[in-house]
Amino acid sequence: AQKITQTQPGMFVQEKEAVTLDCTYDTSDQSYGLFWYKQPSSGEMIFLIYQGSYDEQNATEGRYSLNFQKARKSANLVISASQLGDSAMYFCAMSSSGGYNKLIFGAGTRLAVHP
Amino acid sequence: GAGVSQSPSNKVTEKGKDVELRCDPISGHTALYWYRQSLGQGLEFLIYFQGNSAPDKSGLPSDRFSAERTGGSVSTLTIQRTQQEDSAVYLCASSLGGRGFTDTQYFGPGTRLTVL
């Protein structure tokens, strides 16, 4: 069975500093996708970044990058130059070729950015 | 609109009543998903539509839950005889479809359901 583990229930970071949110996954599939979503207090899930299992380069989207280590089955999110608006819940999720692409989510990490 | 929309944004109902939750996906997206987010269970998949067909209903928690999609667009999630444990935020997502595991899902704002 597939599983996503986010071991940090809460993190805090100083504004303008970088922060890494951890995500490990478990799957027996060879083809899968890894996603990060942000959920502010308003409740909407905002897509941030995607990494495919066959992608050799780490994905980057603006201030977001995904540190993909396939052998360790980890897909950590790095946020550079944190901003106050980055305070939110962050979810790591996985889709696979065998599951109609339904997303399996981790429990999430609550990030607080301090001025 | 440009994004996924859901209605109502909030719904309060009495135990035993039926409720209908609506989702309007992004135009042109053929795949549509329903998820449920609750404090105790986190984010759970409920059902997946490709066009008007639902090849994966494995996440529906009981036969009180049903969903349909018409015209390859709007979807309705119906919960019959609501129970207090149905209280949660129901999230709808859509994606282009046909792209396998690379397909990115975009979420709506959710419907917060409270069963008294």
Side-chain angles (χ1 to χ4, degrees):
Chain A
Q2 296 177 316
K3 186 177 180 181
I4 294 281
T5 302
Q6 294 180 254
T7 57
Q8 306 154 314
M11 291 277 288
F12 70 88
V13 65
Q14 211 69 26
E15 194 178 9
K16 299 180 185 177
E17 293 186 349
V19 62
T20 297
L21 306 183
D22 294 342
C23 172
T24 58
Y25 60 92
D26 191 17
T27 182
S28 56
D29 291 334
Q30 296 301 310
S31 304
Y32 52 88
L34 296 157
F35 301 81
W36 278 92
Y37 287 87
K38 172 184 178 181
Q39 189 176 43
S41 55
S42 60
E44 189 160 357
M45 296 283 282
I46 302 167
F47 165 70
L48 295 178
I49 195 166
Y50 160 82
Q51 179 86 40
S53 57
Y54 296 116
D55 296 339
E56 295 185 353
Q57 301 277 351
N58 285 340
T60 60
E61 289 285 350
R63 295 185 299 110
Y64 304 108
S65 60
L66 201 153
N67 184 359
F68 181 48
Q69 298 187 41
K70 193 171 182 177
R72 297 181 60 187
K73 292 190 174 178
S74 74
N76 298 339
L77 176 70
V78 181
I79 305 175
S80 63
S82 297
Q83 302 172 355
L84 295 178
D86 293 336
S87 295
M89 280 290 286
Y90 288 81
F91 291 95
C92 181
M94 176 169 61
S95 67
S96 74
S97 55
Y100 291 114
N101 304 322
K102 67 186 177 189
L103 293 175
I104 307 298
F105 286 88
T109 296
R110 182 171 298 281
L111 177 67
V113 180
H114 295 172
Chain B
V4 178
S5 61
Q6 292 185 246
S7 61
S9 55
N10 279 284
K11 177 72 176 178
V12 179
T13 190
E14 293 180 348
K15 177 181 172 181
K17 301 282 190 184
D18 297 352
V19 295
E20 284 190 351
L21 312 180
R22 176 188 168 106
C23 172
D24 274 283
I26 294 171
S27 178
H29 281 192
T30 64
L32 187 147
Y33 303 78
W34 284 97
Y35 295 87
R36 179 168 73 172
Q37 185 175 26
S38 57
L39 281 176
Q41 302 296 323
L43 275 150
E44 306 172 280
F45 164 80
L46 296 178
I47 187 169
Y48 157 64
F49 286 94
Q50 179 58 47
N52 293 335
S53 301
D56 190 352
K57 306 179 184 179
S58 62
L60 294 178
S62 75
D63 58 8
R64 296 187 295 104
F65 287 72
S66 63
E68 65 173 11
R69 189 178 184 195
T70 55
S73 181
V74 171
S75 175
T76 302
L77 177 68
T78 301
I79 309 173
Q80 294 179 310
R81 304 181 302 281
T82 52
Q83 303 294 311
Q84 288 182 333
E85 61 263 29
D86 299 335
S87 296
V89 176
Y90 290 82
L91 292 163
C92 176
S94 70
S95 67
L96 281 170
R99 300 182 63 188
F101 63 89
T102 70
D103 217 10
T104 296
Q105 296 178 31
Y106 296 91
F107 284 78
T111 293
R112 181 175 296 278
L113 175 67
T114 303
V115 182
L116 300 176

